[in-house]
Amino acid sequence: MEAPAGGVDDMTKLSYLHEPGVLENLKSRYELNEIYTYTGNILIAINPFQRLPHIYDGHMMQQYKGAPFGELSPHVFAVADVAYRAMVNEGKSNSILVSGESGAGKTETTKMLMRYLAYLGGRAATEGRTVEQQVLESNPVLEAFGNAKTVRNNNSSRFGKFVEIQFDKHGRISGAAIRTYLLERSRVCQVNDPERNYHCFYLLCAAPQEEIEKYKLDHPKTFHYLNQSKCFELVGVSDAHDYLATRRAMDIVGISAKEQEAIFRVVAAILHLGNIVFTKGKEVDSSVPKDEKAKFHLKTTAELLMCDAVALEDALCKRVMITPEEVIKRSLDPQSAAISRDGLAKTIYSRLFDWLVDKINNSIGQDPTSKCLIGVLDIYGFESFKTNSFEQFCINFTNEKLQQHFNQHVFKMEQEEYTKEQINWSYIEFVDNQDVLDLIEKKPGGIIALLDEACMFPKSTHETFSNKLYQTFKSHKRFIKPKLSRTDFTISHYAGEVQYQSDQFLDKNKDYVVAEHQELLGASKCQFVAGLFPPPPEETSKSSKFSSIGSRFKLQLQSLMETLNSTEPHYIRCVKPNNLLKPAIFENVNIMQQLRCGGVLEAIRISCAGYPTRRAFFEFINRFGLLAPEALEGNYDEKVACQRIMEKKGLKGFQIGKTKVFLRAGQMAELDARRAEVLNNAAKIIQRRVLTHVTRKRFIALRKAVISIQALCRGRLASKIFHEMKREAAAVNIQKNARRYEARKSYKRLHSSALVVQTGLRTMAACKQFRFRRQTKAVIFMQARWRCHRAASYYKRLKRGAIVSQTRWRGRVARKELRKLKMEARETGALKEAKNKLEKQVEELTWRLQLEKRMRTDLEEAKVQETAKFQSSLEELQKKLEEANAAIAKEKEVAKQAIEEAPPVVQETQVIVQDTEKIDSLNAEVDNLKEASEERRKKLEETQKKVQQLQDSMKSYGFTFLPSSYIVLNKL
Ligand SMILES: Nc1ncnc2c1ncn2[C@@H]1O[C@H](COP(=O)(O)OP(=O)(O)OP(=O)(O)O)[C@@H](O)[C@H]1O
């Protein structure tokens, strides 16, 4: 089969299984950012050196949850899922072993595993912190105190870690425990350029100002333990931010504020401790703090550790030697004092780290009832440098142990199984490393045992120790004595030869606290510091008195191996693609070496050549019996039934053992696929029936609901239409009223305009009429005047004529009368009476004339003259009357005389009566004219009043008219 361009996701599928093929496959996948590849059950993870958040997000977790192994592309979640499912289904503990060299991505992979397991087995946070939250948050705390920048990794874990996640019977996380291995103690006092010390020191130096002041800290370059390297900062990392993040994580894992304060106080004390420089004292081979600065740091260290400064100085510069005879206090030279100081710093730091791990474990809590666990091992990979010390020895010892576990699982157990089951099998050669392990750990006689022995003898040196090694293992095929060195030794590990320098082995292996240090800090006033140095248990035997790092580590590894052996292992091999720590660089040689060290190539070979899948007969029949029901019905024995099932499915190359069926790679998957097909068909039938039933029920309910909804909708629609209609009617009404209002308004405007026009016209007509009447009046007046004048002229002429004729007549009549009077003179009384009557008449006429005169003066000036004329005529008449009266009086006198002489004769004068009547008629005419003019005047006044009123009202309406209009309006 040709490999696809993007590579295959399982290398057992490769057609040409050789090193270049494997490398090419990994390379082509890495170029596509496919960092994970399977090799059978082993997952190879190549460090991308760049964030790929999309492959670790929640969606991805959901995808991998419960997905069959191999169905989705290779992923760390798939391995965790398999481990979890196996634990839940089979009730067996599982472990995931993550290995690889420094910087290969073990810690990141472990974090992903833990996140995914927390996702699978997590529960909703009910009361504050959950176990999984605490497990996850323990990472930043441990990283702050156990990680440092090295040349190979900016965040290198300087300890091994095995996290046991305990689950309850429902598969929920119920507890957890963290075991740590072999913290690199030497880093506390010794840092190579360009590496860094543990992160916590730098974090504390970047803490908020008040803490810096409290702990009397300064820039990292001022501290001896930090300034041995010129690297103080990490690119893209903020120590100040990480300090706060660490404090938050400490809160979550249950470290109280008081404890946190004590922890950082101790960290600060270690920094100050490192700055205590010694110089020669007055006595021989004695030492004292070098200067004031050293004294200041001594004092500060004592303050921070809450112990006596003098006692601290003594503990650093002196040693107490107990001999059977006496107790001797021996001074240390400056060099030894510095070693003592560094020893104290290392002890304090390692105890602090152990305290943190214990605290986290206690705070998370263990579940004693838990039966299953998933262990995740993140441990340093194989190391081979130019100079390899005790740490590399222990690390490589660990890797040998793990390799053996891997061998046992993948190769040895495979082959043993084949032999046990008596199947045809041509054995594959594999490198068994038991001899290396024997070389290192065998008791007695192993390197660790010899090292312990050397440490117990005070006079031993690394030379004596090396010689001992050379003598003991001179014929061991895994032990080589280098030709050019007298103290180095080489071990031929499974991954290659490593040459160790033994000069520090003894010191680094010693695991005892100097009694003076123990005493000093055990008596600290700070409970936390005193707690780090509990009183040592009473020694029972001499052998138990001595404890070495090497043997303690060996015991820890033994216990770890026991745990791992009781679990079903899963392997993740992390690979570092380049030493530049940069993405997209694939260094072939480097990677090939790592694959070889991780046993990946061997695993590929055996997976393909052997029978990676096996099942007990009953398990196989249980699982795949449904593929050939006739094989079960025939009452065959299990072995035959298994054979029939496989033959029916056309499988070839499988083997039937004594109790198990052995399948070639991929055959199990094929059978599973067939089984899934059959199950799917059956499930489909059941689903069909159930679905029909459910769908019918749902349909009926739906129909009912639809009818209700329709009724409701129709109701709504009708009400909507009704509402619309109502609105329309209202709109029409409003329109109607609006139109009416508009029409009325325009009508009113028209009406008032017509009125104005009419008023104008009427005014014009009235003006015309008024002018006509005025003219008529003037004419009448002129006519009246003319007639008056004519009548007056006629009257004057008539009166004159009348008076003349009257005078003549009266003269004649008077003479006649006189004669009569004379005749009637005798009747005096009658004459007297006539005389009185006449007098009265005269008086009356006089009164009337005066009245007329006054009236005429008031009325018209024109008549004044006439009246004057009348008056003058009246005066004339009066004169005449007087004359007449005088004549009458004369006549009376005459008559009196005549009467006296003769009887009087009385005759009435007709002329006076006629004049009076004429005057009366004229007066009546004048009165009539006056009345007529008075009436007109009154009418005119009234008209003017009306005009004035109309004018006022029109003004209030805002109209302005011509004066002629007012007149017309006045008339209206
Ligand atoms: N899956 C990943 N995705 C992104 N970056 C990664 C991944 N794995 C590793 N890295 C990067 O590689 C660096 C080193 O990884 P890590 O600390 O996990 O290595 P390690 O094998 O644990 O090293 P050491 O043994 O020194 O602790 C990380 O800081 C990170 O930057």
Side-chain angles (χ1 to χ4, degrees):
M1 186 181 81
E2 268 305 304
V8 291
D9 57 11
D10 188 341
M11 292 209 275
T12 56
K13 292 182 195 160
L14 282 174
S15 325
Y16 301 102
L17 198 64
H18 44 56
E19 290 185 358
V22 167
L23 213 55
E24 192 51 42
N25 189 49
L26 289 177
K27 191 175 180 179
S28 50
R29 287 177 66 74
Y30 186 66
E31 276 165 6
L32 300 172
N33 269 343
E34 295 282 354
I35 60 167
Y36 296 114
T37 310
Y38 292 129
T39 304
N41 291 336
I42 305 167
L43 178 75
I44 297 172
I46 306 183
N47 190 343
F49 283 119
Q50 60 179 316
R51 293 282 145 206
L52 303 172
H54 63 281
I55 63 168
Y56 301 115
D57 59 11
H59 175 70
M60 269 291 178
M61 291 195 191
Q62 210 179 349
Q63 291 236 307
Y64 278 92
K65 188 175 176 180
F69 189 77
E71 190 179 282
L72 298 173
S73 51
H75 202 291
V76 63
F77 293 162
V79 177
D81 200 75
V82 166
Y84 181 77
R85 302 281 151 221
M87 180 200 73
V88 170
N89 296 338
E90 291 159 29
K92 202 177 167 209
S93 293
N94 278 250
S95 56
I96 304 170
L97 285 82
V98 187
S99 61
E101 71 171 59
S102 178
K106 299 183 294 293
T107 309
E108 293 295 321
T109 304
T110 308
K111 281 195 256 180
M112 294 304 163
L113 287 169
M114 282 159 69
R115 252 186 67 208
Y116 187 74
L117 290 172
Y119 167 74
L120 291 179
R123 63 183 86 206
T126 43
E127 75 257 352
R129 303 180 292 255
T130 57
V131 174
E132 62 272 15
Q133 229 182 332
Q134 287 180 306
V135 172
L136 294 180
E137 284 306 317
S138 67
N139 283 326
V141 179
L142 290 180
E143 281 188 15
F145 288 86
N147 284 27
K149 175 198 156 52
T150 66
V151 274
R152 291 165 299 149
N153 182 1
N154 285 347
N155 185 27
S156 180
S157 313
R158 307 316 299 159
F159 63 101
K161 182 171 73 178
F162 183 65
V163 184
E164 271 180 29
I165 303 173
Q166 295 151 357
F167 291 84
D168 62 14
K169 57 179 186 296
H170 306 292
R172 299 249 173 83
I173 296 177
S174 55
I178 299 169
R179 286 194 233 164
T180 57
Y181 301 95
L182 205 71
L183 177 77
E184 188 188 22
R185 285 159 46 115
S186 61
R187 186 169 291 270
V188 178
C189 317
Q190 193 188 351
V191 189
N192 299 325
D193 200 36
E195 300 197 343
R196 285 208 323 176
N197 209 321
Y198 288 104
H199 294 327
C200 63
F201 293 115
Y202 303 90
L203 301 191
L204 187 58
C205 288
Q209 194 54 35
E210 63 268 24
E211 295 195 32
I212 298 272
E213 280 163 17
K214 190 163 93 184
Y215 300 135
K216 299 183 182 156
L217 294 172
D218 205 337
H219 190 273
K221 69 180 172 210
T222 57
F223 293 104
H224 170 64
Y225 285 162
L226 308 183
N227 64 17
Q228 297 162 47
S229 157
K230 295 286 158 282
C231 175
F232 300 109
E233 275 157 18
L234 295 178
V235 181
V237 176
S238 157
D239 287 326
H241 170 267
D242 283 0
Y243 173 78
L244 298 175
T246 308
R247 298 280 308 225
R248 267 198 304 278
M250 284 172 141
D251 286 337
I252 292 174
V253 295
I255 299 172
S256 69
K258 209 173 145 201
E259 287 166 337
Q260 288 179 33
E261 193 274 334
I263 289 167
F264 284 107
R265 188 151 41 76
V266 170
V267 172
I270 294 171
L271 287 178
H272 285 289
L273 184 63
N275 277 12
I276 306 172
V277 186
F278 298 99
T279 186
K280 274 188 184 167
K282 285 176 194 149
E283 290 162 30
V284 188
D285 277 348
S286 71
S287 54
V288 285
K290 190 178 169 196
D291 48 18
E292 281 311 307
K293 235 170 120 186
K295 279 182 190 155
F296 162 77
H297 287 296
L298 179 88
K299 198 168 147 259
T300 313
T301 311
E303 273 170 17
L304 293 171
L305 293 174
M306 293 193 191
C307 61
D308 184 38
V310 181
L312 175 64
E313 191 183 329
D314 277 359
L316 295 175
C317 303
K318 291 186 177 124
R319 282 284 169 275
V320 176
M321 299 188 64
I322 304 165
T323 59
E325 292 84 35
E326 57 182 337
V327 177
I328 307 163
K329 237 182 186 181
R330 182 171 65 90
S331 293
L332 297 176
D333 58 27
Q335 203 186 349
S336 307
I339 292 169
S340 163
R341 175 199 68 194
D342 291 348
L344 178 61
K346 285 190 274 191
T347 309
I348 296 174
Y349 194 80
S350 68
R351 298 242 167 149
L352 176 65
F353 187 75
D354 292 343
W355 181 92
L356 275 171
V357 176
D358 286 346
K359 178 74 195 177
I360 290 169
N361 283 333
N362 289 336
S363 161
I364 296 173
Q366 318 278 305
D367 178 12
T369 58
S370 159
K371 286 203 186 88
C372 304
L373 60 88
I374 293 182
V376 182
L377 181 70
D378 165 12
I379 208 148
Y380 10 64
F382 188 81
E383 289 187 353
S384 174
F385 307 128
K386 263 189 198 156
T387 46
N388 299 293
S389 187
F390 183 66
E391 288 85 6
Q392 279 67 45
F393 175 76
C394 291
I395 288 170
N396 292 341
F397 169 46
T398 315
N399 278 280
E400 287 288 355
K401 274 277 196 200
L402 292 173
Q403 186 61 28
Q404 189 187 46
H405 180 265
F406 182 70
N407 286 347
Q408 275 170 1
H409 183 74
V410 181
F411 307 116
K412 216 169 169 179
M413 283 164 83
E414 286 278 297
Q415 293 190 31
E416 276 172 10
E417 177 95 0
Y418 297 157
T419 318
K420 202 169 89 192
E421 288 285 326
Q422 296 172 359
I423 63 165
N424 241 349
W425 165 251
S426 47
Y427 290 94
I428 288 179
E429 284 278 308
F430 75 93
V431 188
D432 187 5
N433 63 346
Q434 186 56 51
D435 49 355
V436 186
L437 287 172
D438 287 345
L439 172 72
I440 298 171
E441 66 172 348
K442 202 170 167 194
K443 216 173 172 188
I447 296 175
I448 293 175
L450 293 178
L451 184 63
D452 283 358
E453 231 173 74
C455 288
M456 273 190 283
F457 288 110
K459 287 194 177 147
S460 292
T461 60
H462 63 279
E463 281 106 351
T464 58
F465 166 64
S466 303
N467 284 333
K468 181 83 182 159
L469 290 183
Y470 299 150
Q471 279 169 23
T472 318
F473 305 118
K474 61 176 179 262
S475 57
H476 200 292
K477 66 174 189 301
R478 296 282 194 163
F479 185 90
I480 302 158
K481 180 188 177 300
K483 284 182 184 135
L484 297 174
S485 168
R486 289 198 295 140
T487 53
D488 292 1
F489 64 93
T490 302
I491 297 177
S492 174
H493 287 288
Y494 75 96
E497 290 181 358
V498 181
Q499 183 170 338
Y500 297 97
Q501 283 69 48
S502 65
D503 39 355
Q504 305 244 323
F505 267 55
L506 269 73
D507 283 341
K508 287 184 177 173
N509 187 42
K510 284 175 191 163
D511 182 30
Y512 65 87
V513 182
V514 177
E516 289 80 2
H517 297 169
Q518 168 71 45
E519 202 178 310
L520 174 83
L521 296 179
S524 163
K525 288 190 197 84
C526 170
Q527 232 180 351
F528 180 80
V529 177
L532 295 180
F533 290 85
E538 280 300 308
E539 291 142 17
T540 44
S541 68
K542 202 170 181 253
S543 64
S544 68
K545 189 184 170 190
F546 180 77
S547 145
S548 77
I549 301 270
S551 46
R552 195 149 63 91
F553 184 56
K554 196 177 95 180
L555 289 174
Q556 278 186 325
L557 277 184
Q558 256 167 23
S559 141
L560 173 67
M561 285 305 147
E562 276 162 26
T563 310
L564 292 182
N565 287 334
S566 67
T567 63
E568 184 70 27
H570 305 267
Y571 295 96
I572 299 178
R573 293 280 187 243
C574 295
V575 175
K576 189 173 165 184
N578 60 70
N579 287 328
L580 304 171
L581 318 185
K582 294 238 160 76
I585 301 174
F586 197 86
E587 292 172 357
N588 290 345
V589 179
N590 195 348
I591 291 169
M592 188 46 72
Q593 177 62 21
Q594 291 177 56
L595 293 178
R596 246 180 244 140
C597 293
V600 175
L601 294 172
E602 287 295 300
I604 294 169
R605 212 148 57 85
I606 198 163
S607 284
C608 296
Y611 300 92
T613 333
R614 71 218 59 171
R615 283 283 179 278
F617 293 144
F618 74 92
E619 261 184 62
F620 187 84
I621 292 168
N622 262 357
R623 195 170 174 79
F624 299 113
L626 52 88
L627 294 178
E630 65 282 359
L632 303 181
E633 283 157 15
N635 239 350
Y636 306 110
D637 78 347
E638 283 178 331
K639 199 171 177 176
V640 180
C642 289
Q643 188 134 15
R644 294 215 160 198
I645 290 167
M646 283 186 288
E647 277 165 5
K648 193 185 168 197
K649 290 294 142 195
L651 296 187
K652 290 203 170 69
F654 62 88
Q655 296 245 19
I656 306 276
K658 273 162 70 182
T659 60
K660 287 178 185 167
V661 175
F662 288 82
L663 300 172
R664 305 300 298 253
Q667 286 184 331
M668 187 69 156
E670 202 179 324
L671 284 174
D672 267 335
R674 301 273 171 83
R675 179 174 175 269
E677 210 174 288
V678 173
L679 287 176
N680 278 351
N681 288 340
K684 271 183 207 157
I685 293 168
I686 297 167
Q687 278 175 354
R688 241 187 348 244
R689 295 280 160 148
V690 172
L691 276 178
T692 311
H693 176 70
V694 171
T695 313
R696 192 179 144 66
K697 251 172 93 176
R698 207 179 292 160
F699 167 73
I700 290 166
L702 202 69
R703 194 173 54 186
K704 214 170 139 192
V706 164
I707 289 167
S708 305
I709 292 168
Q710 280 178 346
L712 198 75
C713 288
R714 285 197 192 113
R716 282 264 166 91
L717 207 67
S719 104
K720 214 169 149 190
I721 291 168
F722 172 71
H723 188 69
E724 282 301 313
M725 279 164 70
K726 245 168 71 176
R727 279 172 66 87
E728 213 174 288
V732 168
N733 210 359
I734 292 166
Q735 284 175 357
K736 194 172 74 189
N737 282 323
R739 282 195 198 113
R740 191 180 61 190
Y741 171 75
E742 280 300 317
R744 187 174 155 72
K745 218 166 117 184
S746 67
Y747 164 74
K748 277 199 168 172
R749 223 179 294 132
L750 199 69
H751 179 250
S752 63
S753 314
L755 277 183
V756 169
V757 173
Q758 279 180 356
T759 311
L761 292 172
R762 278 186 194 133
T763 307
M764 275 165 65
C767 279
K768 213 169 150 188
Q769 179 87 8
F770 176 69
R771 270 196 308 274
F772 172 72
R773 282 194 186 167
R774 214 162 52 177
Q775 277 176 1
T776 312
K777 188 182 160 189
V779 167
I780 289 168
F781 183 74
M782 276 168 20
Q783 282 176 348
R785 287 286 172 155
W786 170 247
R787 277 191 199 119
C788 179
H789 172 72
R790 209 172 53 182
S793 307
Y794 173 69
Y795 166 70
K796 274 180 205 167
R797 267 185 281 122
L798 197 65
K799 200 166 90 175
R800 207 177 294 126
I803 289 167
V804 170
S805 57
Q806 273 177 353
T807 313
R808 280 182 188 163
W809 175 257
R810 275 176 201 141
R812 212 176 134 195
V813 169
R815 274 183 304 272
K816 260 187 193 172
E817 284 281 323
L818 189 60
R819 274 186 306 269
K820 265 185 202 175
L821 280 168
K822 278 176 183 172
M823 282 168 36
E824 290 167 5
R826 289 168 213 158
E827 290 173 55
T828 315
L831 276 170
K832 268 186 183 177
E833 235 175 86
K835 183 194 158 191
N836 284 344
K837 261 185 190 175
L838 280 170
E839 274 175 355
K840 270 182 189 174
Q841 275 177 353
V842 168
E843 268 175 9
E844 206 176 287
L845 279 170
T846 311
W847 179 78
R848 274 185 189 169
L849 271 172
Q850 277 171 353
L851 190 70
E852 278 294 318
K853 196 177 163 187
R854 211 164 48 235
M855 279 170 71
R856 274 174 199 165
T857 312
D858 288 338
L859 280 170
E860 285 174 13
E861 265 183 42
K863 281 191 180 176
V864 170
Q865 286 177 349
E866 219 166 307
T867 314
K869 280 179 189 170
F870 280 131
Q871 215 163 355
S872 66
S873 67
L874 270 173
E875 275 169 5
E876 267 178 27
L877 280 173
Q878 210 166 1
K879 266 180 194 172
K880 279 179 186 171
L881 188 65
E882 277 170 0
E883 277 171 11
N885 278 343
I888 288 165
K890 269 181 187 173
E891 274 178 36
K892 229 188 274 184
E893 285 292 319
V894 174
K896 220 174 186 181
Q897 278 174 0
I899 289 162
E900 280 170 359
E901 286 165 9
V905 179
V906 181
Q907 217 176 9
E908 269 187 59
T909 314
Q910 217 41 39
V911 179
I912 294 165
V913 176
Q914 276 175 357
D915 282 348
T916 309
E917 275 173 359
K918 191 105 178 178
I919 286 163
D920 283 346
S921 76
L922 279 171
N923 278 342
E925 201 174 338
V926 168
D927 283 345
N928 281 342
L929 281 169
K930 260 186 183 176
E931 271 174 18
S933 79
E934 187 63 25
E935 251 178 41
R936 279 200 190 113
R937 197 181 58 82
K938 273 182 186 169
K939 263 192 181 175
L940 193 66
E941 272 174 7
E942 270 174 22
T943 313
Q944 270 176 344
K945 261 187 200 169
K946 276 184 185 172
V947 168
Q948 191 61 40
Q949 277 173 4
L950 274 169
Q951 219 171 346
D952 291 345
S953 65
M954 293 307 274
K955 262 186 192 169
S956 70
Y957 282 110
F959 288 105
T960 317
F961 296 103
L962 292 166
S964 59
S965 313
Y966 299 156
I967 300 161
V968 178
L969 277 169
N970 281 339
K971 288 213 161 193
L972 281 167

